[in-house]
Amino acid sequence: MRLSYSWLSEYVDIPWDPKELIDKLTMSGTEIEGVEEIGPRLHSIVVGEILSIEPHPNADKLAVCRTDVGNEQLTIVCGAKNMAVGDKVPVALVGAKLPNGVVIKQANLRGVDSFGMMCSEIELGLGDDAVGLMILDPSAAVGQNLDEIMGGQDTLIECEITPNRADCMSMIGLAREVAALSSAKLHYPDVHAFGDGRPADDACQVDINNPQHCPRYVAKVIEDIKIGPSPTWLKDKVIKAGFRPINNIVDVTNLIAAELGQPLHAFDYDKVQDHHIIVRLAKDRETIKTLDDVERALDQDMLVIADPSGPIAIAGVMGGAHTEVVEETTAVLLESAHFEPASISRTSRRLGLVSEASIRFERGVDPNICLAACDRAMRLIQEVAGGTVRSGAVDVYPKPIEPRRLELRIERVNDYLGTRLSGSDMAAILNSLELETTPSGDTAISVTIPTFRFDLEREVDLIEEIARIYGYNEIESTLPRSGKKVGFRTHLQGQVKQLKEMLAAAGLDEALTYSFIDPESLTRLGPDIHRDGLALISLENPISADMSVMRPTLVAGLLQALALNNSRDLTDIGLFEIGRVFLPQPDRLLPEEPLKAAIVISGKYPEASWIDGGRDVDFYAVKGLVESILEMLRPDADYQFHSSGLGWLHPSRQAEVVFGGESIGFIGELHPELCSRLDLRGRIGITEFDLNSVLTSPHSAVAFKDVIKHPGIAMDMAVVIDKEIPASKVIDLIEVSTRNILRDIRVFDVYEGEQISSGKKSVAVSLFLQAEDRTLTESEVQQERTKLVKVLNQQLGAEIR
Amino acid sequence: MGLKEDLEALTAQAIKEIGTANGIGAVKELRVKYLGRKGQLTAVLKQMGGLSESERPEVGRIANESRDKIDKALSDKEALVGSSTLQASIAADSIDVSLPGWRLRPGHTHLITQIIEEITDIFIGLGYTVAEGPEVELDFYNFEALNTPQDHPARSLQDTFYIDSKPASGRQSEAVLLRTHTSPVQIRVMKNTLPPVYIIAPGKAYRTDYDITHTPMFHQVEGLAVDEDITFADLKGTLEIFVRKLFGEDRQIRLRPHFFPFTEPSAEVDVSCVLCNGSGCRACKGSGWLEILGAGMVDPNVFKHVGYDPEKVRGFAFGVGVERVAMLRHGLTDIRMLFENDVRFLRQF
């Protein structure tokens, strides 16, 4: 809604300058989207009267005009055709600067000196008519500055009206806001009915077939009018309201829409068959050619205005071309109707047709302004187009809509807002908004809601009005008083937070990737990337194909992030993401959203330094991270890594993560073939695992074990086994054999090469043995060693080096 | 010459030799030479047997004094020699302390995570628990129960991502969509809990905007307080604490009336501009204020949808855009960078 400061001043004595007005509106709920200062921009542009028009001696398309500009007469060469002797036109004097920046100079045009320029609307920024000169109202005084007749300086304020405040989609609505905020007086425009004595009923007939969609229809007729361009004051207002001037009739209807919020439609009276208006639903396969010259197919849900021959307008949306007011029109049937918002909204949406009328009807219009708007329009039409107006109006309004009454409990208002307002404070605020109040006992107020405030339906709506006008910022600040609230994160939330911090401390950076991904990115990774047989969840209306399916894995997004960094020559990358993935659940409306953790690392980890060259990422880098994570999150739980066969990972460098006997994810290196296809450099360590199963419940409190005080003995062994035997077998076997006294075991070296026979590897382990109840003797340890050597040899064919 | 004189000469000789001894080995030899079992002092003492009863205590005393003197001289010399060896080895340890340590370059949690955790901690301190809900939601929780009418423009394909906009059941409330805000968590919590309710719900939300200030996925933190005596003043006080903790204790806030279907009265909340401090600049479009969140008193219709009696409880709710906080507080100019994951961006925060 575009608001003109000077126009608004016609309805209310604004006690503020435009800047203050903007502030007051902002703080009472009307958001300001933009401000435009206009004028005085038409400096040195004055009203001129054309005294003579002569053909140009050297150019067929030009004319030489003699023009009176008040204190002198000027010769001006002009290319327009639409002017006649005696016309008043805008003249830009030599030195004038047009709104488009052009400075007018004295010029010689094909042999004739020209002292200024006669202007079109578009040249003055007053409209978009570029064809001919702007012809001014004959009453304009020659020599007068155009600024003065065009309204002069003004501030145009673009207001965002919230959906509930349809009443503010008009000058009068915003004037009411100003009046409420400032206690200034409102001046309503003249809406008194008048006529020539002949009843309107004789001139037309109106039938409403669907009163639920059209509760009211007012029609009035004016005859013997002369269609033409609007006078300057009218054009000026229409432009300020954001409309394009068309002709004096249409401009008046648009002015009323802007002023009172009631959209009107003018039909060419003589083209309405039998002067009979029928408001009905469209019939199947009915069509109408609308004002914009488009043939539109209607359906049975759309409300139309028809005459006996067929639809002549799409109700509340757009008129038909056939009954359009044109230059030859001499009589107008003016419609001022009330339509149900949902019906208009549906029709507008289905036709893809939005108009100034449909925007207003969709939000809602005061049903009781129809007649006043019609009378006001008639007065203005007569002023700008002449004619005689029939008395009265055809007003079909079968069930008049009455003002609503609401009870407002005084205590409830203060309880809601945390204020200590009195009943009379509240009544004063409501009265300033034109809401009538009467006391209802000692504790409540009975409030009558004028029909233009149809958004006020409940007591709580009135509470908001009181808060709004009282001022949100006048209300004090307190805190909830309840002593029953306790703040905490759930176990899972706390663990996720800890995990993120741990991964960051381990040198990884947290990535956030989109939840919707490119289905192609999954295809590239092959069928093993998400659970067999599960369909993907697709968006019906994605932004683009590469953001069109909900991710079943975090991997695709992280690899994309890695590729982006690689493409920017950033190579030592460790990224992690913790987020939900989306898996369809058969027979459920909503998918499952398990929480996953994923890591990708590439390049050196840790990074190279002057101390050492860093380590190239491989399988063990990512495995170590996962081991640390699991150990931190669940020190009590048991996890293993089993070899696996996922197609998109390196065939011999991957494993399944088994936690508490359940497979929760994988670790591995990306398949070398995929690395080159995805333009990724070096080995890529990657893992993804399920967090829900790891973090579901707090693990039980760890039971204290006494620290062993007897000294222990360290023992190293280099075990030579077949290359294919996993080292974990050696460790498992040692663990089983020395269970009671083994406190720690770790692999400190793995060797293959010349020192041992081919096909073998040496796994060097370091054991720490310690008994709970005694000091181990050398001979005991020696026995233990002998036993181990025997068992390892028997079970794994191992030799001790 | 008597025994007494011998002792004195021996002591003087020992002390002289200790004084000129060089190195820890020489000092050790001297200890053996004088105080050892076959040492010179021992040899002298062995002669004491030949003394008379009257001479013996006097000479014994002198002998002990001599032993103590030599021992002390040896210990002092040992300490002196030991410490200079250490000094030499310390001197050899000299390094360049300007070289970097054995460090693991610390990684960074995402800026969005950091802001969410910061907001979460503020509200945990105020007694709120953290709630979560699904990102793929039903129309019922995202719109209907939040009092958003069927034909509301927010429900259009232009704003909302749909998985299934026309459910087989024909019930619009069963349409499946990506939640457009974190507000549906309010509904899920209230449907499952009796008042009082004090929660915040951080999480992802989705809308079909994509430009330098909008990404189709973004993060919100929703807050909800429902109790017997909640007031609009409580909402104001709570938001003031929140905004000041997040943007600085010297920030001002203001509430402007607004419209949301699920709150009444509703407000938009502005914080005094973090760049110009309220005097007006490009960031705040000259107004001195930055819009930071939407809030209001829970609409009675929302309570009806979850089975709460609006005559018995009242509540307030608010929703803050995390990316917006990132933009305003950290000066981001293009929020799409947040989800591009260039490590040079991630490592800044």
Side-chain angles (χ1 to χ4, degrees), chain A residues 562 565-573 681, chain B residues 342-344:
Chain A
L562 177 62
N565 281 290
N566 275 188
S567 74
R568 294 176 181 178
D569 283 325
L570 300 162
T571 46
D572 295 337
I573 303 293
R681 302 181 203 166
Chain B
D342 185 314
V343 292
R344 291 168 299 180

Side-chain angles (χ1 to χ4, degrees), chain B residues 36 93 137 144 146 155 162 171-172 192 222 237 278 290 331:
Chain B
D93 280 347
E137 251 307 358
E144 192 178 315
L146 287 162
R155 289 192 176 196
Y162 279 94
R171 284 191 289 272
Q172 191 53 37
N192 291 315
E222 184 81 10
L290 297 166

